[in-house]
Amino acid sequence: SDSGANSIIRYGIVNGSKWFAINASSGEVTTKSRIDRESSIPAVVELNISASDHGTPPLSSTTLVNIEIVDINDHFPVFSPVHYNTTVTEDVSVEPVILTVNASDNDSSSPNNKITFNLTNGHNSPFAIHPTTGAIRASR
């Protein structure tokens, strides 16, 4: 183990990083700001980390650190359009689709971007909705 100036290690990110910083004394890697997987950040960020001592001559080493950016469920599903209107006759049969609703979710990965449709009063409703297509039919 080195002593004196030889034992003082300075850390750095070779060629810098848009998203991460490193404490030059401790080597702790932190984010520069809030990270959102749906922004322009790649799924895996590679950092080339250097460590150098203060000896004469200074000695250094580098290592590659891969940081996987994992998606969280931080986006709500959004209906498009926001409102739907339709009419049906009182004798509508159960076969034809009356209306199909559409929604999307900006999360980047499953299951966070998977949408399941349901009717909030489904057990009492004269209508049924397909859980994945959003197709609404008369149920009785």
PDB file of all heavy atoms in Angstrom, residues 91-109:
ATOM      1  N   ASP A  91     -82.392  -1.900 -29.058  1.00  0.00           N
ATOM      2  CA  ASP A  91     -82.405  -3.325 -29.393  1.00  0.00           C
ATOM      3  C   ASP A  91     -81.062  -3.795 -29.967  1.00  0.00           C
ATOM      4  O   ASP A  91     -81.003  -4.780 -30.688  1.00  0.00           O
ATOM      5  CB  ASP A  91     -83.547  -3.630 -30.373  1.00  0.00           C
ATOM      6  CG  ASP A  91     -83.379  -2.920 -31.705  1.00  0.00           C
ATOM      7  OD1 ASP A  91     -82.564  -1.970 -31.782  1.00  0.00           O
ATOM      8  OD2 ASP A  91     -84.063  -3.300 -32.667  1.00  0.00           O
ATOM      9  N   VAL A  92     -79.991  -3.099 -29.635  1.00  0.00           N
ATOM     10  CA  VAL A  92     -78.677  -3.452 -30.175  1.00  0.00           C
ATOM     11  C   VAL A  92     -78.325  -4.889 -29.789  1.00  0.00           C
ATOM     12  O   VAL A  92     -78.581  -5.337 -28.669  1.00  0.00           O
ATOM     13  CB  VAL A  92     -77.576  -2.472 -29.695  1.00  0.00           C
ATOM     14  CG1 VAL A  92     -77.352  -2.562 -28.202  1.00  0.00           C
ATOM     15  CG2 VAL A  92     -76.267  -2.707 -30.442  1.00  0.00           C
ATOM     16  N   SER A  93     -77.763  -5.627 -30.753  1.00  0.00           N
ATOM     17  CA  SER A  93     -77.379  -7.018 -30.468  1.00  0.00           C
ATOM     18  C   SER A  93     -75.987  -7.047 -29.838  1.00  0.00           C
ATOM     19  O   SER A  93     -75.261  -6.052 -29.836  1.00  0.00           O
ATOM     20  CB  SER A  93     -77.395  -7.847 -31.751  1.00  0.00           C
ATOM     21  OG  SER A  93     -76.340  -7.455 -32.602  1.00  0.00           O
ATOM     22  N   VAL A  94     -75.600  -8.199 -29.312  1.00  0.00           N
ATOM     23  CA  VAL A  94     -74.314  -8.312 -28.608  1.00  0.00           C
ATOM     24  C   VAL A  94     -73.136  -8.500 -29.556  1.00  0.00           C
ATOM     25  O   VAL A  94     -71.998  -8.420 -29.134  1.00  0.00           O
ATOM     26  CB  VAL A  94     -74.331  -9.464 -27.570  1.00  0.00           C
ATOM     27  CG1 VAL A  94     -75.323  -9.171 -26.486  1.00  0.00           C
ATOM     28  CG2 VAL A  94     -74.590 -10.803 -28.217  1.00  0.00           C
ATOM     29  N   GLU A  95     -73.389  -8.757 -30.825  1.00  0.00           N
ATOM     30  CA  GLU A  95     -72.294  -9.055 -31.755  1.00  0.00           C
ATOM     31  C   GLU A  95     -71.472  -7.839 -32.201  1.00  0.00           C
ATOM     32  O   GLU A  95     -70.260  -7.853 -32.091  1.00  0.00           O
ATOM     33  CB  GLU A  95     -72.830  -9.800 -32.985  1.00  0.00           C
ATOM     34  CG  GLU A  95     -73.086 -11.261 -32.729  1.00  0.00           C
ATOM     35  CD  GLU A  95     -71.848 -12.006 -32.243  1.00  0.00           C
ATOM     36  OE1 GLU A  95     -70.780 -11.867 -32.852  1.00  0.00           O
ATOM     37  OE2 GLU A  95     -71.955 -12.722 -31.249  1.00  0.00           O
ATOM     38  N   PRO A  96     -72.089  -6.815 -32.768  1.00  0.00           N
ATOM     39  CA  PRO A  96     -71.246  -5.769 -33.363  1.00  0.00           C
ATOM     40  C   PRO A  96     -70.516  -4.916 -32.324  1.00  0.00           C
ATOM     41  O   PRO A  96     -71.003  -4.699 -31.219  1.00  0.00           O
ATOM     42  CB  PRO A  96     -72.237  -4.914 -34.159  1.00  0.00           C
ATOM     43  CG  PRO A  96     -73.545  -5.128 -33.508  1.00  0.00           C
ATOM     44  CD  PRO A  96     -73.506  -6.531 -32.937  1.00  0.00           C
ATOM     45  N   VAL A  97     -69.346  -4.460 -32.736  1.00  0.00           N
ATOM     46  CA  VAL A  97     -68.586  -3.520 -31.901  1.00  0.00           C
ATOM     47  C   VAL A  97     -69.277  -2.172 -32.011  1.00  0.00           C
ATOM     48  O   VAL A  97     -69.533  -1.670 -33.105  1.00  0.00           O
ATOM     49  CB  VAL A  97     -67.119  -3.429 -32.370  1.00  0.00           C
ATOM     50  CG1 VAL A  97     -66.386  -2.326 -31.627  1.00  0.00           C
ATOM     51  CG2 VAL A  97     -66.418  -4.769 -32.196  1.00  0.00           C
ATOM     52  N   ILE A  98     -69.579  -1.600 -30.867  1.00  0.00           N
ATOM     53  CA  ILE A  98     -70.254  -0.308 -30.823  1.00  0.00           C
ATOM     54  C   ILE A  98     -69.242   0.823 -30.974  1.00  0.00           C
ATOM     55  O   ILE A  98     -69.460   1.794 -31.678  1.00  0.00           O
ATOM     56  CB  ILE A  98     -71.028  -0.157 -29.495  1.00  0.00           C
ATOM     57  CG1 ILE A  98     -72.099  -1.227 -29.404  1.00  0.00           C
ATOM     58  CG2 ILE A  98     -71.599   1.237 -29.346  1.00  0.00           C
ATOM     59  CD1 ILE A  98     -72.703  -1.364 -28.024  1.00  0.00           C
ATOM     60  N   LEU A  99     -68.107   0.647 -30.300  1.00  0.00           N
ATOM     61  CA  LEU A  99     -67.077   1.689 -30.275  1.00  0.00           C
ATOM     62  C   LEU A  99     -65.774   1.046 -29.817  1.00  0.00           C
ATOM     63  O   LEU A  99     -65.791   0.112 -29.006  1.00  0.00           O
ATOM     64  CB  LEU A  99     -67.495   2.784 -29.273  1.00  0.00           C
ATOM     65  CG  LEU A  99     -66.537   3.934 -29.016  1.00  0.00           C
ATOM     66  CD1 LEU A  99     -66.502   4.869 -30.217  1.00  0.00           C
ATOM     67  CD2 LEU A  99     -66.974   4.703 -27.772  1.00  0.00           C
ATOM     68  N   THR A 100     -64.667   1.533 -30.343  1.00  0.00           N
ATOM     69  CA  THR A 100     -63.363   1.074 -29.866  1.00  0.00           C
ATOM     70  C   THR A 100     -62.615   2.270 -29.313  1.00  0.00           C
ATOM     71  O   THR A 100     -62.475   3.296 -29.991  1.00  0.00           O
ATOM     72  CB  THR A 100     -62.546   0.420 -30.995  1.00  0.00           C
ATOM     73  OG1 THR A 100     -63.275  -0.708 -31.485  1.00  0.00           O
ATOM     74  CG2 THR A 100     -61.189  -0.044 -30.498  1.00  0.00           C
ATOM     75  N   VAL A 101     -62.179   2.163 -28.063  1.00  0.00           N
ATOM     76  CA  VAL A 101     -61.392   3.235 -27.448  1.00  0.00           C
ATOM     77  C   VAL A 101     -59.912   2.930 -27.640  1.00  0.00           C
ATOM     78  O   VAL A 101     -59.506   1.774 -27.801  1.00  0.00           O
ATOM     79  CB  VAL A 101     -61.733   3.405 -25.948  1.00  0.00           C
ATOM     80  CG1 VAL A 101     -63.182   3.849 -25.781  1.00  0.00           C
ATOM     81  CG2 VAL A 101     -61.479   2.138 -25.161  1.00  0.00           C
ATOM     82  N   ASN A 102     -59.109   3.972 -27.633  1.00  0.00           N
ATOM     83  CA  ASN A 102     -57.676   3.833 -27.857  1.00  0.00           C
ATOM     84  C   ASN A 102     -56.918   4.635 -26.799  1.00  0.00           C
ATOM     85  O   ASN A 102     -57.321   5.750 -26.454  1.00  0.00           O
ATOM     86  CB  ASN A 102     -57.309   4.331 -29.257  1.00  0.00           C
ATOM     87  CG  ASN A 102     -55.852   4.151 -29.560  1.00  0.00           C
ATOM     88  OD1 ASN A 102     -55.269   3.107 -29.283  1.00  0.00           O
ATOM     89  ND2 ASN A 102     -55.230   5.165 -30.123  1.00  0.00           N
ATOM     90  N   ALA A 103     -55.845   4.060 -26.288  1.00  0.00           N
ATOM     91  CA  ALA A 103     -55.005   4.768 -25.328  1.00  0.00           C
ATOM     92  C   ALA A 103     -53.561   4.359 -25.565  1.00  0.00           C
ATOM     93  O   ALA A 103     -53.280   3.288 -26.112  1.00  0.00           O
ATOM     94  CB  ALA A 103     -55.412   4.438 -23.896  1.00  0.00           C
ATOM     95  N   SER A 104     -52.659   5.219 -25.156  1.00  0.00           N
ATOM     96  CA  SER A 104     -51.235   4.910 -25.260  1.00  0.00           C
ATOM     97  C   SER A 104     -50.548   5.307 -23.954  1.00  0.00           C
ATOM     98  O   SER A 104     -51.068   6.098 -23.177  1.00  0.00           O
ATOM     99  CB  SER A 104     -50.604   5.653 -26.441  1.00  0.00           C
ATOM    100  OG  SER A 104     -50.731   7.052 -26.262  1.00  0.00           O
ATOM    101  N   ASP A 105     -49.379   4.730 -23.732  1.00  0.00           N
ATOM    102  CA  ASP A 105     -48.604   4.986 -22.521  1.00  0.00           C
ATOM    103  C   ASP A 105     -47.158   5.226 -22.942  1.00  0.00           C
ATOM    104  O   ASP A 105     -46.595   4.429 -23.687  1.00  0.00           O
ATOM    105  CB  ASP A 105     -48.696   3.780 -21.580  1.00  0.00           C
ATOM    106  CG  ASP A 105     -48.076   4.035 -20.227  1.00  0.00           C
ATOM    107  OD1 ASP A 105     -46.910   4.481 -20.179  1.00  0.00           O
ATOM    108  OD2 ASP A 105     -48.736   3.777 -19.215  1.00  0.00           O
ATOM    109  N   ASN A 106     -46.571   6.317 -22.489  1.00  0.00           N
ATOM    110  CA  ASN A 106     -45.219   6.683 -22.913  1.00  0.00           C
ATOM    111  C   ASN A 106     -44.093   5.971 -22.185  1.00  0.00           C
ATOM    112  O   ASN A 106     -42.923   6.253 -22.439  1.00  0.00           O
ATOM    113  CB  ASN A 106     -45.019   8.200 -22.800  1.00  0.00           C
ATOM    114  CG  ASN A 106     -45.709   8.934 -23.918  1.00  0.00           C
ATOM    115  OD1 ASN A 106     -45.939   8.389 -24.991  1.00  0.00           O
ATOM    116  ND2 ASN A 106     -46.070  10.176 -23.671  1.00  0.00           N
ATOM    117  N   ASP A 107     -44.402   5.071 -21.253  1.00  0.00           N
ATOM    118  CA  ASP A 107     -43.323   4.301 -20.636  1.00  0.00           C
ATOM    119  C   ASP A 107     -42.646   3.460 -21.704  1.00  0.00           C
ATOM    120  O   ASP A 107     -43.285   3.012 -22.661  1.00  0.00           O
ATOM    121  CB  ASP A 107     -43.859   3.424 -19.502  1.00  0.00           C
ATOM    122  CG  ASP A 107     -44.130   4.232 -18.252  1.00  0.00           C
ATOM    123  OD1 ASP A 107     -43.207   4.927 -17.798  1.00  0.00           O
ATOM    124  OD2 ASP A 107     -45.254   4.178 -17.745  1.00  0.00           O
ATOM    125  N   SER A 108     -41.347   3.226 -21.542  1.00  0.00           N
ATOM    126  CA  SER A 108     -40.572   2.615 -22.616  1.00  0.00           C
ATOM    127  C   SER A 108     -40.576   1.099 -22.635  1.00  0.00           C
ATOM    128  O   SER A 108     -40.139   0.508 -23.604  1.00  0.00           O
ATOM    129  CB  SER A 108     -39.123   3.114 -22.562  1.00  0.00           C
ATOM    130  OG  SER A 108     -38.489   2.643 -21.387  1.00  0.00           O
ATOM    131  N   SER A 109     -41.045   0.450 -21.583  1.00  0.00           N
ATOM    132  CA  SER A 109     -40.961  -1.010 -21.582  1.00  0.00           C
ATOM    133  C   SER A 109     -42.160  -1.654 -20.898  1.00  0.00           C
ATOM    134  O   SER A 109     -42.850  -1.036 -20.093  1.00  0.00           O
ATOM    135  CB  SER A 109     -39.668  -1.455 -20.892  1.00  0.00           C
ATOM    136  OG  SER A 109     -39.677  -1.071 -19.534  1.00  0.00           O
TER     137      SER A 109
END
